[in-house]
Amino acid sequence: MFLYIFGLVVFYYVYRWFRELKRVPNKSEKYVYITGCDTGFGNLLAKHLDTLGFCVIAGCYTEKGEDELNKACSSRLCTVQLDVTDNESIKKATDAIKALVGDRGLWAVVNNAGVSIPSAPNDWLFIEDFKHMINVNLLGVIAVTLSVLPLIKKAKGRVVNIASVFGRVSPFGGPYCISKYGVEAFNDSLRMNMAPFGVKVLCIEPGFFKTSVTDINLIQSNIKKLWDRLPQDVRDDYGSDYMDRVKVMMKQMFVKMLDGDLMKVVSCMEHAISAVHPRSRYSAGWDAKFFWLPLSYMPSCIADVLLLKDVIKPKVSIL
């Protein structure tokens, strides 16, 4: 019996592997709009798609990001300055894209832009801390998608949303996981809405990767800033040595979990854009596949025990 099940599983994965090999034709006629291209995944994806022959429209937050990409890529790539929290900036970028793509429509939008701070226990934060990250990580994704959705429908193209494995499980406090859970929900609802129009909506769920979003110095500096503004009674709840324990955990656990091979994520993004038969979801990174994703399916009572086993504890809580 077990051999039959094992055989069926092997057959499924072999079949899926062959099915997913086929790529879309006429790449040089397909425009791909990517947000957050200054650094990290977005920057690498823009360069990678350019080498594959796609017409890339790279949304950059800074002029420096635009200049560096233009120097590194072919004349097929063009840049637009983009702040995903600014409706006027989004509209200006959309107008430029409409002029570029014409009647062909837009083949894909990749919602990559995101931030990771402030991240801290929830009782350290104010509502404004939540608003900023949600504006970037969730409302920015929705606003950019809606701005170009008519062009995507015209091309029967793709919407690729970069969520996170922390859109499935919340091992720490603050707005990051909340914003990524929201991206997952938006992705699922949009996928159902767009299916009748031939538009595919895909989700990438990376684990821990070494990017500016996971810069240990930036994260530690942000935590220290939040700690310094806390009332004394809250600091007493966590213990006077809490920040020292945070530093130890960051060095001993967090840094070791970071994967430096960003192409694992970029390859998933490229497959979502260029495969004839893409997957609905991609788990990028070994930690995402074999730890965080299985953890998200466990009952909360078990998952909480596993998460709390080795984390820094104040008197009560988790970083």
Side-chain angles (χ1 to χ4, degrees):
M1 180 64 180
F2 290 110
L3 285 176
Y4 286 119
I5 294 173
F6 178 75
L8 286 172
V9 171
V10 170
F11 174 78
Y12 167 74
Y13 279 104
V14 170
Y15 168 74
R16 189 179 74 168
W17 181 75
F18 275 107
R19 187 170 184 265
E20 292 179 351
L21 287 176
K22 191 175 181 181
R23 294 297 195 265
V24 296
N26 304 322
K27 294 176 183 176
S28 61
E29 298 176 6
K30 289 178 166 57
Y31 284 84
V32 180
Y33 177 29
I34 311 167
T35 69
C37 291
D38 297 79
T39 59
F41 300 133
N43 186 275
L44 282 177
L45 179 65
K47 293 174 181 175
H48 184 56
L49 293 182
D50 181 62
T51 61
L52 293 178
F54 284 96
C55 298
V56 177
I57 305 166
C60 297
Y61 187 66
T62 64
E63 289 185 12
K64 180 184 177 183
E66 289 188 85
D67 292 340
E68 289 179 353
L69 262 183
N70 282 320
K71 289 175 184 176
C73 298
S74 73
S75 58
R76 282 190 308 273
L77 180 140
C78 64
T79 60
V80 292
Q81 199 155 7
L82 178 66
D83 177 353
V84 299
T85 66
D86 184 341
N87 289 333
E88 189 58 37
S89 175
I90 293 171
K91 184 179 183 304
K92 191 179 292 186
T94 302
D95 290 341
I97 292 168
K98 285 178 181 176
L100 270 173
V101 304
D103 293 334
R104 284 170 295 192
L106 181 65
W107 174 249
V109 59
V110 182
N111 287 300
N112 168 74
V115 294
S116 63
I117 57 174
S119 289
N122 288 313
D123 56 339
W124 291 25
L125 303 173
F126 301 119
I127 191 63
E128 293 304 321
D129 298 319
F130 284 81
K131 285 180 179 178
H132 169 67
M133 193 182 293
I134 289 171
N135 281 340
V136 177
N137 290 1
L138 176 56
L139 298 183
V141 168
I142 296 171
V144 168
T145 300
L146 296 181
S147 72
V148 295
L149 201 53
L151 300 175
I152 298 281
K153 288 166 71 175
K154 185 179 289 187
K156 295 189 176 181
R158 314 279 170 87
V159 177
V160 182
N161 294 316
I162 313 305
S164 169
V165 71
F166 300 121
R168 287 174 171 263
V169 60
S170 299
F172 50 86
Y176 185 80
C177 295
I178 295 169
S179 66
K180 293 302 183 179
Y181 269 73
V183 171
E184 295 272 356
F186 174 65
N187 187 87
D188 288 347
S189 62
L190 188 67
R191 185 177 67 249
M192 299 293 288
N193 295 159
M194 291 295 104
F197 302 100
V199 173
K200 291 181 170 63
V201 181
L202 306 318
C203 190
I204 315 293
E205 299 172 339
F208 276 114
F209 284 86
K210 195 173 183 179
T211 68
S212 58
V213 170
T214 55
D215 185 318
I216 185 172
N217 294 320
L218 183 66
I219 294 171
Q220 285 184 338
S221 173
N222 175 70
I223 294 173
K224 177 66 166 58
K225 181 180 176 182
L226 295 172
W227 174 263
D228 288 343
R229 80 179 187 185
L230 288 175
Q232 189 59 47
D233 61 329
V234 178
R235 292 194 210 181
D236 291 341
D237 287 341
Y238 283 81
S240 60
D241 63 339
Y242 184 71
M243 288 304 298
D244 293 330
R245 287 180 283 142
V246 167
K247 290 178 183 177
V248 172
M249 185 276 289
M250 295 289 281
K251 289 179 180 178
Q252 292 184 352
M253 294 174 58
F254 183 77
V255 173
K256 292 177 181 178
M257 292 176 69
L258 295 178
D259 192 331
D261 185 5
L262 303 190
M263 285 306 295
K264 289 178 182 176
V265 178
V266 172
S267 296
C268 291
M269 297 159 84
E270 181 264 316
H271 190 271
I273 293 162
S274 65
V276 173
H277 301 289
R279 302 178 194 174
S280 295
R281 274 186 169 82
Y282 296 81
S283 293
W286 294 111
D287 62 323
K289 287 183 172 72
F290 297 112
F291 181 71
W292 298 111
L293 188 60
L295 194 69
S296 71
Y297 289 109
M298 292 181 184
S300 59
C301 57
I302 298 174
D304 289 352
V305 169
L306 291 174
L307 287 172
L308 289 168
K309 186 168 72 74
D310 294 315
V311 299
I312 297 175
K313 299 182 183 71
K315 295 175 182 177
V316 286
S317 190
I318 176 175
L319 172 66

